[in-house]
Amino acid sequence: MQKCVWGLIVIFCAAPLLAGTFFGTIESVDAESRSVVVAGNKNAGSKTFEIPAKAAISINGKKSDFEALVEGAAVTVSTDPSDKVTKINVRPAAAGTAGSKNVTTKKNTSKDGDESPATAGTGKAGTDDWPSFDGPARDNISRETGLLKSWPAEGPKLAWQAKGLGEGYAAVSIADGLVYTMGNVKTNEVVTALDLETGKIVWQQKTGAASQLSMGNGPRGTPTYDEGQVYSLGGNGDLTSLDARTGKQSWRKNILQEFGGNNITWGISESVLIDGDRLICTPGGRSGTIVALNKANGKPKWKAVVPGNSPAGYSSAIVAEVDGVRQYVQFLHKGVVGVRADTGEVLWGNDASANPTANCSSPLFADNMVFSASGYGKGGALVKLAVKGRKVEATPGYHTNKMESHHGGMVLLDGHIYGSSDPGVVRCLDLATGNVKWENRSVGKGSITCADGHLYVRSEKGPVALVEATPAGYNETGRFDQPDRSNAEAWAHPVVSHGKLFLRDQDLLLVYDIKE
């Protein structure tokens, strides 16, 4: 892969250890006294914080000011041992939720007049919904509060379970009262919609021939919900738009056939990104490495051909806004790239975290920095992005072998990276420096998500652990063994939504009540 412009000098500062952390939603703001009232979970209640002038205020890790603290915004408040606020971070809410218009960045308008929202996805999903892979903001963090801080020995209570989902490794998305996933059912790939409260199958729709793939049959991608439609990408490259309530097909195409791509070794694994009226996917083809389609009809809006003709990786794209330049960041077979959101212009590339076998975990973005990581002995790397005229410069920061994230994903919270590193070590790293804050080998290799100040770590062998999301140290507050395990590795990522924990295991979906 060609590397783009280099040359910036980046100075990194290690973040201090936090003496206290409070997660919640802002109830009120008093500008005169520089104080905010934050509602936590029902046990924590509400708490008033005075915000010193020297306190660091940020939006998703990017420096901001007191005016960013608005009613309805989800926040993380960090305090020193004397309970004085040292840092407050506004976590972006899902589009359309309370406070979201005040805490997200401005829209961009493309040449054809379409507007891009400030967060990935513009559907009418509720505040507790999880409308796409890695959630409404594609950061793998749920905005819910009031969840259990510890589990009994047997684990949380099982709310319901469902069967008939088929073979595959798709996780779930949740929106508007339905749960969506996909799998091989007999000779077809199908998308399944289930009732959120009961687990009853509402509809199933065929989307292509069953994917017969190495390392396990069935689709790997998770359906994406947006404005009453569900978009699914199967293991053979079949992309389909379905009515979310009925499953009726709106349009369908095969992205490998249309854009000259070849299927990758273990099958297309991407969960498509919806951004405004654009659907972003990665054929890895001769006529389109990454493409933007009109989500209404599937017609191309632009096609980005990345230098070096890289095939697709196994990752799903994210949105990054750098000094007003909106871009899509994707981990390809040959490295991480950024392309301009409105035109598809290739802006930068970096191959420091890419291995030649499989690059799977989605990149992380905060404060104009991108962190990416892969397994197979490669590790992770950070780059610093800066806009220079029409160009975006990507300056190397560091490389670390302490985050070999295979396919379990990572979480970036308040300047720290959490993830499962091969061969099975859960680690916390400082984003700015790559320094290890803590590590633990008891859970084993797996996948991860975050909600209400806790990590949900799912071992591919079955156990699920609840761990505090703090750089202060590894503190596990619950663990249980998933019942009715299939013979396959548990590779579908855990999801937290509507006070429930969702665990997909091939044909089975287990849903646990984790609300306090």
Side-chain angles (χ1 to χ4, degrees), residues 140 361-362 364 371-373 403 405 408-412 417-419 448:
N140 205 9
S361 291
S362 293
L364 303 172
F371 181 86
S372 56
M403 187 56 71
S405 179
M410 298 173 288
V411 167
L412 173 57
I417 302 164
Y418 302 89
I448 189 170

Side-chain angles (χ1 to χ4, degrees), residues 442-455:
S442 65
V443 182
K445 179 178 177 178
S447 53
I448 189 170
T449 191
C450 180
D452 200 14
H454 283 73
L455 307 172

Side-chain angles (χ1 to χ4, degrees), residues 270-298:
E270 181 179 20
S271 303
V272 300
L273 170 67
I274 303 295
D275 189 34
D277 69 350
R278 305 185 198 106
L279 183 154
I280 308 303
C281 60
T282 313
R286 295 180 300 278
S287 63
T289 311
I290 302 170
V291 300
L293 309 178
N294 186 323
K295 71 179 183 182
N297 54 30

Side-chain angles (χ1 to χ4, degrees), residues 123-283:
K124 298 174 183 177
T127 57
D128 292 338
D129 283 342
W130 191 263
S132 72
F133 179 74
D134 276 353
R138 287 249 164 162
D139 60 2
N140 205 9
I141 301 174
S142 169
R143 279 20 180 193
E144 290 196 55
T145 59
L147 305 179
L148 292 171
K149 297 297 183 286
S150 62
W151 294 337
E154 67 275 13
K157 180 182 177 181
L158 182 67
W160 53 262
Q161 66 180 36
K163 295 183 178 181
L165 310 180
E167 289 182 293
Y169 298 92
V172 300
S173 53
I174 298 105
D176 198 21
L178 294 178
V179 180
Y180 303 97
T181 190
M182 60 190 308
N184 278 359
V185 176
K186 297 182 179 180
T187 59
N188 296 284
E189 283 187 339
V190 306
V191 172
T192 300
L194 306 99
D195 184 89
L196 174 62
E197 297 303 320
T198 66
K200 180 181 178 180
I201 293 178
V202 176
W203 56 259
Q204 284 189 319
Q205 179 61 265
K206 300 174 184 178
T207 56
S211 45
Q212 308 295 326
L213 302 167
S214 177
M215 297 302 293
N217 295 327
R220 286 86 161 96
T222 300
T224 300
Y225 172 93
D226 183 81
E227 294 188 328
Q229 292 292 120
V230 173
Y231 304 87
S232 67
L233 180 59
N236 298 320
D238 293 311
L239 174 61
T240 309
S241 173
L242 305 172
D243 183 276
R245 303 306 299 179
T246 67
K248 181 180 178 181
Q249 180 178 303
S250 300
W251 56 263
R252 178 177 175 270
K253 65 170 58 189
N254 186 285
I255 64 170
L256 299 179
Q257 295 172 6
E258 180 162 339
F259 299 102
N262 295 314
N263 207 349
I264 48 183
T265 303
W266 294 297
I268 293 292
S269 301
E270 181 179 20
S271 303
V272 300
L273 170 67
I274 303 295
D275 189 34
D277 69 350
R278 305 185 198 106
L279 183 154
I280 308 303
C281 60
T282 313

